[in-house]
Amino acid sequence: MKKFVCIALVVLSQLLTWNSELGTALAAPISGEIAVAVFFEPLNQGQTKIDQINVDAETTLQFSLFISGLALTSTSVFSFKGAEFQAFEIVAGMVISFRNVLIFAPNILEVDDDPFWTIQFAQPNPGLVGVPLRMFIDELASPLDLSKLLAPTLDDPLQFRKLISQMALNLWGVRFSVTMLIANFGTFNQPSFHSGLIFEAGGVTVGGAEVIALTYLGARQGWECFGECKPLERYFEGRVVPDFEFQEEKLIIRNLTIAGVTLGAEIAFDFMTITLSQIVLSLRASVMGAVIQQKIVLNDLATPSFVSFGWTVQLGDGLFEIEFIDPNGLFQFPAKRLSFFVQWEAISFKDELVLQNPLGLLHTMEVTAEFESFRFRSQTAFLGGLINGFYNQKIEASWGMVGPGTWAWLVSIEAQLRREYLLYVSPSMTVKF
Amino acid sequence: MKPLQVVLCLLVVLGALTGCEGSYRTQVTVGTLNLPAGGIGVVRISILNPPDAKMIQVGPIGLLTFNPSVIQVISLTGVNGFTLFGSAINNTMGWVQFAASFPGGSIRPIVTMDFGVLEIPIIEMVVQAVGPVGAQTALTITAVDLFTDRVGNPIPIGPPIAGQVVIIAP
């Protein structure tokens, strides 16, 4: 009887929460966003004063509809090649929350969760496997390089590529969820479906520590992307693998505080190799006004593969951070990162140095200003020297207005100079309604 | 103004430490390896401070030299987007020549959250230890014949940084 009363109270509290959210949702049943961006790149980059240009145009449409507690979202991406991405998302929640995402795209890419974002699988595959996607998705990268890389994979029509179906339930403070993944790794004429399951259980203890356990069946850590692999086209719910077997078990502990020290851990066990595939340990502590953090990644119980030690201190209005990094786990720290950040009202300045033995050096300076509806950002990068070896200058400026009701618009322009030539310039406009 | 003064002082100090009047400092580096006797291992050839490096060629003038009585080179493979489109291995005289490029792209430093990668491996060279325990050989690139960026311009490059293989007990 007591158990029945407890369950009834849980259901009632969820209903009350849903009802208040429903009232808010009905105030704006339809909303959306239209964004158009055009990228111009000189064909012969710096070789001639008057040049032909490469042009890439991208239009993104997002529509959201709220009906009776159900949120439906459609995301479409178009380019000169036509539709290159379409996703439908349905989210509903009462006692049990549901989320379904249906993705249609001409291509699918599986990306490993390593620092280089190495492509593990691609369909179609014009030689993409092994390519480090980080070279194309990075602060210093040109969006047109990514477009050129993935353009050969966009020739096929849209086809079903992935289904992500999640169900979550909160019971007595523990969140249980099941994620079902179905991916199509085949071609347009010969589809090939594979499925995976991810079981998750997690919660927060009385002391504030978060504990999460995940089991991967037919799937592994990592992420998948579609179309031109832009942020809207990336999904981080894991990547499907061909074999429907137990692949990995992962335990995550965050914000465990003992004697003033905040600890975290991520431990992954690989069922295929019967080994601990990844152990990540982190700690953070405040000592005399400074914050000290350390992170160690181990391949197994005895072999570190990555170590970092950082120290952050407040200097007046500024924040100074220094980090020693050993990407090989040998505790020799050949790489160092020094960063200084300060904000004066609407203007902020960030200066960062990355040093790597023997002579590696990257110096970036970033200035950001925000005045009412105008925003400006400038980033300057020097490679191999502190103020010598000019490498890159990136400028972003945007101006936005919020109109009557709920609509708003934003106009932006972005340009990037690389060494002695213009890399690209891109105007864009976004309208929200 | 105090934080600004601190920043300026920091920049001056760091400029002195790092040589702000120095050269571009892009370099090719060869890795080091401790290899068990009779074993097989991988030596990586990397580019330090790569400013959109697209193509590299060592040969016909330049050579990557090694002591053939200590190691033998088995194969070379391009990594991180680099494709090897030509190589020559001479295990009698102890030298290697190669040409590689990044089709459809180029490489630059990666600065992600938590760390930065300024040295990007582009070629993996598989070697086998044939010498006795304790023997060692330097891996020296005598000259880089061609090193260009994404638009085909030559990249100024410093002297290659040599690597080493040391034979250790199994």
mmCIF file of all heavy atoms in Angstrom, chain A residues 133-176:
data_model
loop_
_atom_site.group_PDB
_atom_site.id
_atom_site.type_symbol
_atom_site.label_atom_id
_atom_site.label_comp_id
_atom_site.label_asym_id
_atom_site.label_seq_id
_atom_site.Cartn_x
_atom_site.Cartn_y
_atom_site.Cartn_z
ATOM 1 N N LEU A 133 38.813 14.560 -38.979
ATOM 2 C CA LEU A 133 37.774 15.563 -39.227
ATOM 3 C C LEU A 133 38.073 16.873 -38.517
ATOM 4 O O LEU A 133 37.564 17.928 -38.886
ATOM 5 C CB LEU A 133 36.422 15.002 -38.760
ATOM 6 C CG LEU A 133 35.172 15.474 -39.488
ATOM 7 C CD1 LEU A 133 35.287 15.278 -40.985
ATOM 8 C CD2 LEU A 133 33.954 14.716 -38.958
ATOM 9 N N ARG A 134 38.930 16.814 -37.485
ATOM 10 C CA ARG A 134 39.313 18.038 -36.762
ATOM 11 C C ARG A 134 39.998 19.052 -37.670
ATOM 12 O O ARG A 134 39.965 20.241 -37.403
ATOM 13 C CB ARG A 134 40.290 17.694 -35.644
ATOM 14 C CG ARG A 134 39.625 17.374 -34.360
ATOM 15 C CD ARG A 134 39.320 18.623 -33.584
ATOM 16 N NE ARG A 134 38.781 18.265 -32.287
ATOM 17 C CZ ARG A 134 37.798 18.909 -31.691
ATOM 18 N NH1 ARG A 134 37.267 19.945 -32.256
ATOM 19 N NH2 ARG A 134 37.373 18.513 -30.522
ATOM 20 N N MET A 135 40.657 18.570 -38.720
ATOM 21 C CA MET A 135 41.315 19.507 -39.637
ATOM 22 C C MET A 135 40.293 20.348 -40.384
ATOM 23 O O MET A 135 40.628 21.376 -40.957
ATOM 24 C CB MET A 135 42.169 18.729 -40.645
ATOM 25 C CG MET A 135 43.366 18.071 -40.017
ATOM 26 S SD MET A 135 44.446 19.291 -39.233
ATOM 27 C CE MET A 135 45.531 18.221 -38.316
ATOM 28 N N PHE A 136 39.062 19.902 -40.417
ATOM 29 C CA PHE A 136 38.026 20.598 -41.168
ATOM 30 C C PHE A 136 36.980 21.219 -40.247
ATOM 31 O O PHE A 136 36.181 22.036 -40.690
ATOM 32 C CB PHE A 136 37.343 19.615 -42.136
ATOM 33 C CG PHE A 136 38.304 18.995 -43.107
ATOM 34 C CD1 PHE A 136 39.000 17.837 -42.773
ATOM 35 C CD2 PHE A 136 38.523 19.559 -44.350
ATOM 36 C CE1 PHE A 136 39.894 17.272 -43.649
ATOM 37 C CE2 PHE A 136 39.413 18.991 -45.241
ATOM 38 C CZ PHE A 136 40.094 17.847 -44.887
ATOM 39 N N ILE A 137 36.934 20.810 -38.999
ATOM 40 C CA ILE A 137 35.975 21.360 -38.050
ATOM 41 C C ILE A 137 36.783 21.931 -36.897
ATOM 42 O O ILE A 137 37.116 21.245 -35.950
ATOM 43 C CB ILE A 137 35.001 20.278 -37.532
ATOM 44 C CG1 ILE A 137 34.247 19.646 -38.683
ATOM 45 C CG2 ILE A 137 34.040 20.869 -36.513
ATOM 46 C CD1 ILE A 137 33.369 18.491 -38.263
ATOM 47 N N ASP A 138 37.147 23.170 -36.985
ATOM 48 C CA ASP A 138 38.058 23.744 -36.008
ATOM 49 C C ASP A 138 37.941 25.253 -36.120
ATOM 50 O O ASP A 138 37.499 25.785 -37.135
ATOM 51 C CB ASP A 138 39.503 23.279 -36.314
ATOM 52 C CG ASP A 138 40.483 23.716 -35.247
ATOM 53 O OD1 ASP A 138 40.299 23.290 -34.100
ATOM 54 O OD2 ASP A 138 41.419 24.474 -35.552
ATOM 55 N N GLU A 139 38.321 25.922 -35.066
ATOM 56 C CA GLU A 139 38.277 27.385 -35.057
ATOM 57 C C GLU A 139 39.045 27.984 -36.225
ATOM 58 O O GLU A 139 38.675 29.000 -36.786
ATOM 59 C CB GLU A 139 38.877 27.873 -33.722
ATOM 60 C CG GLU A 139 38.835 29.365 -33.525
ATOM 61 C CD GLU A 139 37.447 29.897 -33.289
ATOM 62 O OE1 GLU A 139 36.775 29.423 -32.364
ATOM 63 O OE2 GLU A 139 37.024 30.766 -34.066
ATOM 64 N N LEU A 140 40.155 27.332 -36.608
ATOM 65 C CA LEU A 140 41.019 27.867 -37.665
ATOM 66 C C LEU A 140 40.692 27.303 -39.045
ATOM 67 O O LEU A 140 41.366 27.629 -40.008
ATOM 68 C CB LEU A 140 42.490 27.563 -37.327
ATOM 69 C CG LEU A 140 43.010 28.186 -36.030
ATOM 70 C CD1 LEU A 140 44.414 27.673 -35.732
ATOM 71 C CD2 LEU A 140 43.027 29.703 -36.103
ATOM 72 N N ALA A 141 39.679 26.466 -39.146
ATOM 73 C CA ALA A 141 39.392 25.821 -40.430
ATOM 74 C C ALA A 141 38.453 26.670 -41.276
ATOM 75 O O ALA A 141 37.727 27.523 -40.768
ATOM 76 C CB ALA A 141 38.770 24.448 -40.192
ATOM 77 N N SER A 142 38.454 26.417 -42.579
ATOM 78 C CA SER A 142 37.522 27.085 -43.480
ATOM 79 C C SER A 142 36.318 26.179 -43.699
ATOM 80 O O SER A 142 36.482 24.999 -44.001
ATOM 81 C CB SER A 142 38.206 27.359 -44.827
ATOM 82 O OG SER A 142 37.244 27.689 -45.799
ATOM 83 N N PRO A 143 35.085 26.710 -43.580
ATOM 84 C CA PRO A 143 33.895 25.866 -43.800
ATOM 85 C C PRO A 143 33.849 25.277 -45.205
ATOM 86 O O PRO A 143 33.273 24.213 -45.416
ATOM 87 C CB PRO A 143 32.730 26.835 -43.578
ATOM 88 C CG PRO A 143 33.290 27.969 -42.816
ATOM 89 C CD PRO A 143 34.733 28.079 -43.206
ATOM 90 N N LEU A 144 34.483 25.974 -46.148
ATOM 91 C CA LEU A 144 34.452 25.454 -47.525
ATOM 92 C C LEU A 144 35.320 24.208 -47.668
ATOM 93 O O LEU A 144 35.047 23.370 -48.525
ATOM 94 C CB LEU A 144 34.925 26.531 -48.505
ATOM 95 C CG LEU A 144 33.907 27.646 -48.693
ATOM 96 C CD1 LEU A 144 34.426 28.941 -48.160
ATOM 97 C CD2 LEU A 144 33.528 27.784 -50.145
ATOM 98 N N ASP A 145 36.340 24.064 -46.848
ATOM 99 C CA ASP A 145 37.156 22.848 -46.909
ATOM 100 C C ASP A 145 36.319 21.643 -46.519
ATOM 101 O O ASP A 145 36.429 20.571 -47.116
ATOM 102 C CB ASP A 145 38.364 22.973 -45.973
ATOM 103 C CG ASP A 145 39.420 23.925 -46.530
ATOM 104 O OD1 ASP A 145 39.313 24.290 -47.719
ATOM 105 O OD2 ASP A 145 40.339 24.299 -45.784
ATOM 106 N N LEU A 146 35.481 21.818 -45.497
ATOM 107 C CA LEU A 146 34.601 20.720 -45.062
ATOM 108 C C LEU A 146 33.577 20.401 -46.155
ATOM 109 O O LEU A 146 33.292 19.234 -46.435
ATOM 110 C CB LEU A 146 33.888 21.104 -43.765
ATOM 111 C CG LEU A 146 32.958 20.058 -43.150
ATOM 112 C CD1 LEU A 146 33.744 18.820 -42.729
ATOM 113 C CD2 LEU A 146 32.215 20.634 -41.949
ATOM 114 N N SER A 147 33.061 21.442 -46.787
ATOM 115 C CA SER A 147 32.097 21.236 -47.871
ATOM 116 C C SER A 147 32.738 20.476 -49.017
ATOM 117 O O SER A 147 32.142 19.558 -49.584
ATOM 118 C CB SER A 147 31.577 22.583 -48.381
ATOM 119 O OG SER A 147 30.949 23.288 -47.350
ATOM 120 N N LYS A 148 33.968 20.855 -49.376
ATOM 121 C CA LYS A 148 34.656 20.168 -50.487
ATOM 122 C C LYS A 148 34.950 18.719 -50.117
ATOM 123 O O LYS A 148 34.878 17.823 -50.943
ATOM 124 C CB LYS A 148 35.967 20.891 -50.805
ATOM 125 C CG LYS A 148 35.816 22.209 -51.520
ATOM 126 C CD LYS A 148 37.187 22.797 -51.769
ATOM 127 C CE LYS A 148 37.147 24.303 -51.725
ATOM 128 N NZ LYS A 148 38.484 24.906 -51.671
ATOM 129 N N LEU A 149 35.296 18.474 -48.846
ATOM 130 C CA LEU A 149 35.631 17.119 -48.420
ATOM 131 C C LEU A 149 34.422 16.203 -48.537
ATOM 132 O O LEU A 149 34.521 15.060 -49.000
ATOM 133 C CB LEU A 149 36.118 17.140 -46.958
ATOM 134 C CG LEU A 149 36.449 15.785 -46.345
ATOM 135 C CD1 LEU A 149 37.797 15.298 -46.856
ATOM 136 C CD2 LEU A 149 36.470 15.860 -44.824
ATOM 137 N N LEU A 150 33.241 16.700 -48.106
ATOM 138 C CA LEU A 150 32.062 15.830 -48.044
ATOM 139 C C LEU A 150 31.160 15.952 -49.261
ATOM 140 O O LEU A 150 30.201 15.188 -49.386
ATOM 141 C CB LEU A 150 31.266 16.149 -46.769
ATOM 142 C CG LEU A 150 32.013 15.881 -45.452
ATOM 143 C CD1 LEU A 150 31.142 16.235 -44.266
ATOM 144 C CD2 LEU A 150 32.448 14.429 -45.369
ATOM 145 N N ALA A 151 31.452 16.887 -50.166
ATOM 146 C CA ALA A 151 30.605 17.071 -51.352
ATOM 147 C C ALA A 151 30.425 15.780 -52.162
ATOM 148 O O ALA A 151 29.311 15.491 -52.616
ATOM 149 C CB ALA A 151 31.170 18.189 -52.225
ATOM 150 N N PRO A 152 31.454 14.950 -52.373
ATOM 151 C CA PRO A 152 31.251 13.708 -53.151
ATOM 152 C C PRO A 152 30.290 12.729 -52.490
ATOM 153 O O PRO A 152 29.819 11.788 -53.140
ATOM 154 C CB PRO A 152 32.654 13.101 -53.228
ATOM 155 C CG PRO A 152 33.573 14.231 -52.996
ATOM 156 C CD PRO A 152 32.880 15.138 -52.045
ATOM 157 N N THR A 153 29.987 12.915 -51.205
ATOM 158 C CA THR A 153 29.080 11.983 -50.527
ATOM 159 C C THR A 153 27.631 12.461 -50.570
ATOM 160 O O THR A 153 26.753 11.809 -50.005
ATOM 161 C CB THR A 153 29.488 11.798 -49.051
ATOM 162 O OG1 THR A 153 29.263 13.032 -48.347
ATOM 163 C CG2 THR A 153 30.939 11.409 -48.931
ATOM 164 N N LEU A 154 27.378 13.602 -51.227
ATOM 165 C CA LEU A 154 26.033 14.180 -51.222
ATOM 166 C C LEU A 154 25.296 13.991 -52.542
ATOM 167 O O LEU A 154 24.258 14.610 -52.763
ATOM 168 C CB LEU A 154 26.117 15.687 -50.908
ATOM 169 C CG LEU A 154 26.808 16.059 -49.594
ATOM 170 C CD1 LEU A 154 26.919 17.568 -49.451
ATOM 171 C CD2 LEU A 154 26.055 15.473 -48.408
ATOM 172 N N ASP A 155 25.814 13.134 -53.415
ATOM 173 C CA ASP A 155 25.187 12.966 -54.731
ATOM 174 C C ASP A 155 23.919 12.128 -54.688
ATOM 175 O O ASP A 155 23.004 12.322 -55.477
ATOM 176 C CB ASP A 155 26.187 12.328 -55.708
ATOM 177 C CG ASP A 155 27.307 13.291 -56.055
ATOM 178 O OD1 ASP A 155 27.057 14.514 -56.051
ATOM 179 O OD2 ASP A 155 28.436 12.826 -56.318
ATOM 180 N N ASP A 156 23.842 11.192 -53.757
ATOM 181 C CA ASP A 156 22.664 10.316 -53.702
ATOM 182 C C ASP A 156 21.466 11.077 -53.157
ATOM 183 O O ASP A 156 21.617 12.080 -52.460
ATOM 184 C CB ASP A 156 22.952 9.109 -52.797
ATOM 185 C CG ASP A 156 23.927 8.147 -53.441
ATOM 186 O OD1 ASP A 156 24.108 8.236 -54.678
ATOM 187 O OD2 ASP A 156 24.516 7.321 -52.721
ATOM 188 N N PRO A 157 20.250 10.588 -53.438
ATOM 189 C CA PRO A 157 19.057 11.227 -52.849
ATOM 190 C C PRO A 157 19.010 10.976 -51.338
ATOM 191 O O PRO A 157 19.746 10.136 -50.806
ATOM 192 C CB PRO A 157 17.880 10.518 -53.541
ATOM 193 C CG PRO A 157 18.457 9.738 -54.651
ATOM 194 C CD PRO A 157 19.895 9.486 -54.334
ATOM 195 N N LEU A 158 18.136 11.726 -50.680
ATOM 196 C CA LEU A 158 17.945 11.492 -49.246
ATOM 197 C C LEU A 158 17.396 10.091 -49.030
ATOM 198 O O LEU A 158 16.518 9.632 -49.757
ATOM 199 C CB LEU A 158 16.948 12.509 -48.671
ATOM 200 C CG LEU A 158 17.375 13.955 -48.547
ATOM 201 C CD1 LEU A 158 16.301 14.768 -47.849
ATOM 202 C CD2 LEU A 158 18.679 14.098 -47.803
ATOM 203 N N GLN A 159 17.912 9.419 -48.032
ATOM 204 C CA GLN A 159 17.382 8.110 -47.654
ATOM 205 C C GLN A 159 17.437 8.001 -46.144
ATOM 206 O O GLN A 159 18.154 8.744 -45.475
ATOM 207 C CB GLN A 159 18.198 6.994 -48.309
ATOM 208 C CG GLN A 159 19.685 7.080 -48.002
ATOM 209 C CD GLN A 159 20.490 6.016 -48.708
ATOM 210 O OE1 GLN A 159 20.242 4.830 -48.514
ATOM 211 N NE2 GLN A 159 21.445 6.428 -49.530
ATOM 212 N N PHE A 160 16.686 7.055 -45.605
ATOM 213 C CA PHE A 160 16.702 6.862 -44.170
ATOM 214 C C PHE A 160 18.113 6.490 -43.746
ATOM 215 O O PHE A 160 18.727 5.595 -44.301
ATOM 216 C CB PHE A 160 15.722 5.755 -43.755
ATOM 217 C CG PHE A 160 15.933 5.281 -42.341
ATOM 218 C CD1 PHE A 160 15.528 6.076 -41.266
ATOM 219 C CD2 PHE A 160 16.550 4.073 -42.068
ATOM 220 C CE1 PHE A 160 15.737 5.665 -39.973
ATOM 221 C CE2 PHE A 160 16.763 3.647 -40.769
ATOM 222 C CZ PHE A 160 16.358 4.443 -39.720
ATOM 223 N N ARG A 161 18.615 7.167 -42.715
ATOM 224 C CA ARG A 161 19.972 6.903 -42.254
ATOM 225 C C ARG A 161 20.019 6.496 -40.792
ATOM 226 O O ARG A 161 20.811 5.653 -40.418
ATOM 227 C CB ARG A 161 20.872 8.131 -42.464
ATOM 228 C CG ARG A 161 21.390 8.269 -43.891
ATOM 229 C CD ARG A 161 22.192 7.079 -44.307
ATOM 230 N NE ARG A 161 22.727 7.183 -45.653
ATOM 231 C CZ ARG A 161 23.316 6.178 -46.298
ATOM 232 N NH1 ARG A 161 23.455 4.994 -45.701
ATOM 233 N NH2 ARG A 161 23.785 6.346 -47.518
ATOM 234 N N LYS A 162 19.231 7.115 -39.956
ATOM 235 C CA LYS A 162 19.328 6.750 -38.542
ATOM 236 C C LYS A 162 18.042 7.048 -37.798
ATOM 237 O O LYS A 162 17.353 8.029 -38.081
ATOM 238 C CB LYS A 162 20.478 7.511 -37.876
ATOM 239 C CG LYS A 162 20.844 6.939 -36.490
ATOM 240 C CD LYS A 162 22.164 7.465 -35.989
ATOM 241 C CE LYS A 162 22.538 6.802 -34.672
ATOM 242 N NZ LYS A 162 23.791 7.308 -34.108
ATOM 243 N N LEU A 163 17.724 6.156 -36.871
ATOM 244 C CA LEU A 163 16.638 6.368 -35.928
ATOM 245 C C LEU A 163 17.233 6.341 -34.523
ATOM 246 O O LEU A 163 17.960 5.420 -34.161
ATOM 247 C CB LEU A 163 15.570 5.277 -36.065
ATOM 248 C CG LEU A 163 14.521 5.249 -34.949
ATOM 249 C CD1 LEU A 163 13.608 6.463 -35.057
ATOM 250 C CD2 LEU A 163 13.694 3.964 -35.009
ATOM 251 N N ILE A 164 16.918 7.375 -33.754
ATOM 252 C CA ILE A 164 17.332 7.422 -32.346
ATOM 253 C C ILE A 164 16.060 7.465 -31.531
ATOM 254 O O ILE A 164 15.271 8.393 -31.655
ATOM 255 C CB ILE A 164 18.174 8.673 -32.047
ATOM 256 C CG1 ILE A 164 19.419 8.717 -32.937
ATOM 257 C CG2 ILE A 164 18.575 8.712 -30.577
ATOM 258 C CD1 ILE A 164 20.132 10.057 -32.925
ATOM 259 N N SER A 165 15.850 6.444 -30.727
ATOM 260 C CA SER A 165 14.621 6.378 -29.954
ATOM 261 C C SER A 165 14.999 6.225 -28.488
ATOM 262 O O SER A 165 15.606 5.240 -28.105
ATOM 263 C CB SER A 165 13.782 5.187 -30.430
ATOM 264 O OG SER A 165 12.518 5.206 -29.822
ATOM 265 N N GLN A 166 14.647 7.227 -27.691
ATOM 266 C CA GLN A 166 15.035 7.222 -26.290
ATOM 267 C C GLN A 166 13.809 7.222 -25.402
ATOM 268 O O GLN A 166 12.828 7.914 -25.673
ATOM 269 C CB GLN A 166 15.865 8.470 -25.960
ATOM 270 C CG GLN A 166 17.250 8.467 -26.539
ATOM 271 C CD GLN A 166 18.003 9.741 -26.244
ATOM 272 O OE1 GLN A 166 17.466 10.832 -26.310
ATOM 273 N NE2 GLN A 166 19.270 9.598 -25.921
ATOM 274 N N MET A 167 13.886 6.451 -24.329
ATOM 275 C CA MET A 167 12.820 6.435 -23.339
ATOM 276 C C MET A 167 13.484 6.549 -21.975
ATOM 277 O O MET A 167 14.442 5.828 -21.684
ATOM 278 C CB MET A 167 12.034 5.129 -23.440
ATOM 279 C CG MET A 167 10.853 5.060 -22.501
ATOM 280 S SD MET A 167 9.884 3.559 -22.758
ATOM 281 C CE MET A 167 10.984 2.317 -22.102
ATOM 282 N N ALA A 168 12.993 7.466 -21.164
ATOM 283 C CA ALA A 168 13.617 7.684 -19.859
ATOM 284 C C ALA A 168 12.551 7.759 -18.786
ATOM 285 O O ALA A 168 11.441 8.241 -19.011
ATOM 286 C CB ALA A 168 14.439 8.965 -19.868
ATOM 287 N N LEU A 169 12.913 7.290 -17.623
ATOM 288 C CA LEU A 169 11.978 7.247 -16.496
ATOM 289 C C LEU A 169 12.745 7.583 -15.222
ATOM 290 O O LEU A 169 13.845 7.082 -15.003
ATOM 291 C CB LEU A 169 11.381 5.835 -16.397
ATOM 292 C CG LEU A 169 10.562 5.493 -15.164
ATOM 293 C CD1 LEU A 169 9.240 6.255 -15.191
ATOM 294 C CD2 LEU A 169 10.317 3.990 -15.112
ATOM 295 N N ASN A 170 12.156 8.450 -14.403
ATOM 296 C CA ASN A 170 12.753 8.781 -13.111
ATOM 297 C C ASN A 170 12.019 8.045 -12.008
ATOM 298 O O ASN A 170 10.814 8.203 -11.834
ATOM 299 C CB ASN A 170 12.644 10.290 -12.843
ATOM 300 C CG ASN A 170 13.785 11.049 -13.465
ATOM 301 O OD1 ASN A 170 14.945 10.703 -13.287
ATOM 302 N ND2 ASN A 170 13.467 12.059 -14.236
ATOM 303 N N LEU A 171 12.756 7.232 -11.290
ATOM 304 C CA LEU A 171 12.138 6.498 -10.194
ATOM 305 C C LEU A 171 12.995 6.658 -8.947
ATOM 306 O O LEU A 171 14.164 6.275 -8.944
ATOM 307 C CB LEU A 171 12.048 4.999 -10.553
ATOM 308 C CG LEU A 171 10.803 4.515 -11.270
ATOM 309 C CD1 LEU A 171 10.910 3.032 -11.549
ATOM 310 C CD2 LEU A 171 9.528 4.823 -10.486
ATOM 311 N N TRP A 172 12.398 7.204 -7.910
ATOM 312 C CA TRP A 172 13.085 7.379 -6.632
ATOM 313 C C TRP A 172 14.463 8.023 -6.804
ATOM 314 O O TRP A 172 15.456 7.607 -6.203
ATOM 315 C CB TRP A 172 13.240 6.016 -5.919
ATOM 316 C CG TRP A 172 11.921 5.376 -5.648
ATOM 317 C CD1 TRP A 172 10.992 5.773 -4.751
ATOM 318 C CD2 TRP A 172 11.377 4.246 -6.357
ATOM 319 N NE1 TRP A 172 9.888 4.943 -4.819
ATOM 320 C CE2 TRP A 172 10.085 4.002 -5.788
ATOM 321 C CE3 TRP A 172 11.829 3.424 -7.375
ATOM 322 C CZ2 TRP A 172 9.267 2.979 -6.242
ATOM 323 C CZ3 TRP A 172 11.008 2.397 -7.806
ATOM 324 C CH2 TRP A 172 9.741 2.185 -7.238
ATOM 325 N N GLY A 173 14.515 9.052 -7.652
ATOM 326 C CA GLY A 173 15.750 9.809 -7.825
ATOM 327 C C GLY A 173 16.743 9.181 -8.782
ATOM 328 O O GLY A 173 17.815 9.742 -9.001
ATOM 329 N N VAL A 174 16.431 8.035 -9.340
ATOM 330 C CA VAL A 174 17.326 7.382 -10.303
ATOM 331 C C VAL A 174 16.705 7.499 -11.692
ATOM 332 O O VAL A 174 15.520 7.230 -11.873
ATOM 333 C CB VAL A 174 17.552 5.903 -9.948
ATOM 334 C CG1 VAL A 174 18.502 5.256 -10.964
ATOM 335 C CG2 VAL A 174 18.109 5.772 -8.541
ATOM 336 N N ARG A 175 17.506 7.892 -12.636
ATOM 337 C CA ARG A 175 17.020 8.045 -14.008
ATOM 338 C C ARG A 175 17.420 6.814 -14.811
ATOM 339 O O ARG A 175 18.606 6.503 -14.956
ATOM 340 C CB ARG A 175 17.625 9.297 -14.637
ATOM 341 C CG ARG A 175 17.122 9.587 -16.045
ATOM 342 C CD ARG A 175 17.653 10.925 -16.562
ATOM 343 N NE ARG A 175 17.126 11.234 -17.868
ATOM 344 C CZ ARG A 175 17.670 10.860 -19.023
ATOM 345 N NH1 ARG A 175 18.784 10.171 -19.024
ATOM 346 N NH2 ARG A 175 17.105 11.169 -20.181
ATOM 347 N N PHE A 176 16.420 6.097 -15.310
ATOM 348 C CA PHE A 176 16.665 4.929 -16.161
ATOM 349 C C PHE A 176 16.308 5.311 -17.590
ATOM 350 O O PHE A 176 15.259 5.900 -17.833
ATOM 351 C CB PHE A 176 15.796 3.739 -15.727
ATOM 352 C CG PHE A 176 16.085 3.264 -14.329
ATOM 353 C CD1 PHE A 176 15.344 3.741 -13.256
ATOM 354 C CD2 PHE A 176 17.093 2.342 -14.087
ATOM 355 C CE1 PHE A 176 15.609 3.303 -11.958
ATOM 356 C CE2 PHE A 176 17.364 1.908 -12.796
ATOM 357 C CZ PHE A 176 16.623 2.386 -11.731
#
